Amino acid sequence: MNTTTSIADVLTHGALAILAYAILGVLLLVAGFYVIDLATPGRLSKVIRTDRNPNATVLAASSVAGVGLVVAASIWSSGGALREGLLATLVFGLVGIAVQTLGMVAFDKVAGISVRELVRETTLQPAAVLLGVTHFFIGLITAVAVI
């Protein structure tokens, strides 16, 4: 049995692993975006692109950044085990999305910051910045918990 691995095998395996993680990461980022979309009135992409709503943009960007942190931490902690790493990334990414959603609901109930009302505002609101920072740090906290 040949115990040596060629550089071509290593590169092929590495390239396929990168591709698999990238595809999963993008799918999780899109899922995170659509969860925020469900919490906002109207189509979020239209509210951002056409209406140019800064509050919706801050909330969507911070949510996607938070999910990205969780995905990156999951990949980092996989230790090179591709199947286990992909499964962990999927599970932890979904948990990160769920935690951010719970954070949004909690802010709505505890602090009285309604995402639906916030996105109806046409000028940047301090509450959007606060909620955006919260999304980012929920992602960071979840990411650190993964590592």
Side-chain angles (χ1 to χ4, degrees):
M1 183 164 137
N2 185 2
T3 58
T4 62
T5 305
S6 74
I7 189 71
D9 290 340
V10 171
L11 292 175
T12 300
H13 177 74
L16 291 175
I18 290 169
L19 182 62
Y21 277 117
I23 290 169
L24 180 57
V26 168
L27 290 173
L28 286 167
L29 293 176
V30 169
F33 179 85
Y34 280 108
V35 168
I36 295 298
D37 188 22
L38 292 174
T40 59
R43 296 284 307 168
L44 187 55
S45 57
K46 178 195 174 294
V47 171
I48 292 170
R49 189 178 57 247
T50 306
D51 301 344
R52 304 181 60 82
N53 185 294
N55 301 307
T57 304
V58 167
L59 296 176
S62 61
S63 178
V64 170
V67 172
L69 288 169
V70 175
V71 169
S74 298
I75 294 168
W76 178 268
S77 69
S78 69
L82 183 58
R83 286 186 196 154
E84 294 83 357
L86 288 169
L87 180 59
T89 300
L90 174 63
V91 171
F92 295 144
L94 292 173
V95 167
I97 292 168
V99 170
Q100 285 188 344
T101 304
L102 291 174
M104 242 184 353
V105 171
F107 261 76
D108 189 4
K109 301 298 181 199
V110 174
I113 299 174
S114 169
V115 172
R116 291 191 174 278
E117 291 175 20
L118 192 57
V119 173
R120 288 189 182 105
E121 297 288 335
T122 57
T123 58
L124 182 61
Q125 300 296 308
V129 175
L130 175 63
L131 196 54
V133 170
T134 302
H135 275 296
F136 179 81
F137 279 104
I138 288 172
L140 181 60
I141 291 165
T142 307
V144 171
V146 167
I147 296 173

